[in-house]
Amino acid sequence: QGASAVAGAVAWNGVLSHLDLSWNGIGGPGFVAMGDALGKRCALTTLRMGGNALDTAGALALAAAVRSGASSLTRLDLSPEHAPSAAGTAAGSPRGGAATASGRLDPDARQALVDAWREAREGVWPEGPSRASLKM
């Protein structure tokens, strides 16, 4: 529910450009809500959601948002690289216990997201896709 509320705020925020929701126990519905928000011309350029439970529906929602051309996103980080430190979060807590994308994501959905990102970004920036990044 929390990620859906944040996504609702992001959809209509014309100022917020960077958002880090990594390791927050976000599941598929949160990713779907964020995909919907990104399709509404929000100002967000960097989104980090690594270490959460990205599922097939979430990946497809993000892919649809990217393909729509409405998103201003230039950096999407879904990798679990920025894990919380052991001192900051216990392994059994919601933040420490979040699933990573690699465990539940259907390979076809992953590829759909990668392809959507590549296609959209190559067409959006005249300076080329080197300014955009997708980490999974």
Side-chain angles (χ1 to χ4, degrees), residues 29-96:
F31 280 95
V32 170
M34 192 57 70
D36 291 345
L38 292 172
K40 293 186 173 33
R41 296 206 179 274
C42 66
L44 205 59
T45 59
T46 300
L47 176 60
R48 290 190 170 98
M49 292 184 76
N52 292 298
L54 176 63
D55 64 4
T56 301
L60 294 176
L62 291 173
V66 169
R67 275 205 173 97
S68 76
S71 175
S72 58
L73 206 60
T74 58
R75 286 182 174 63
L76 178 59
D77 186 347
L78 301 171
S79 70
E81 289 181 10
H82 306 292
S85 68
T89 306
S93 73
R95 287 179 62 106

Side-chain angles (χ1 to χ4, degrees), residues 1-12 21 29-30 33-34 37:
Q1 283 188 25
S4 295
V6 170
V10 164
W12 305 110
L21 296 173
M34 192 57 70

Side-chain angles (χ1 to χ4, degrees), residues 86-108:
T89 306
S93 73
R95 287 179 62 106
T100 61
S102 60
R104 299 180 6 179
L105 186 58
D106 175 61
D108 292 337

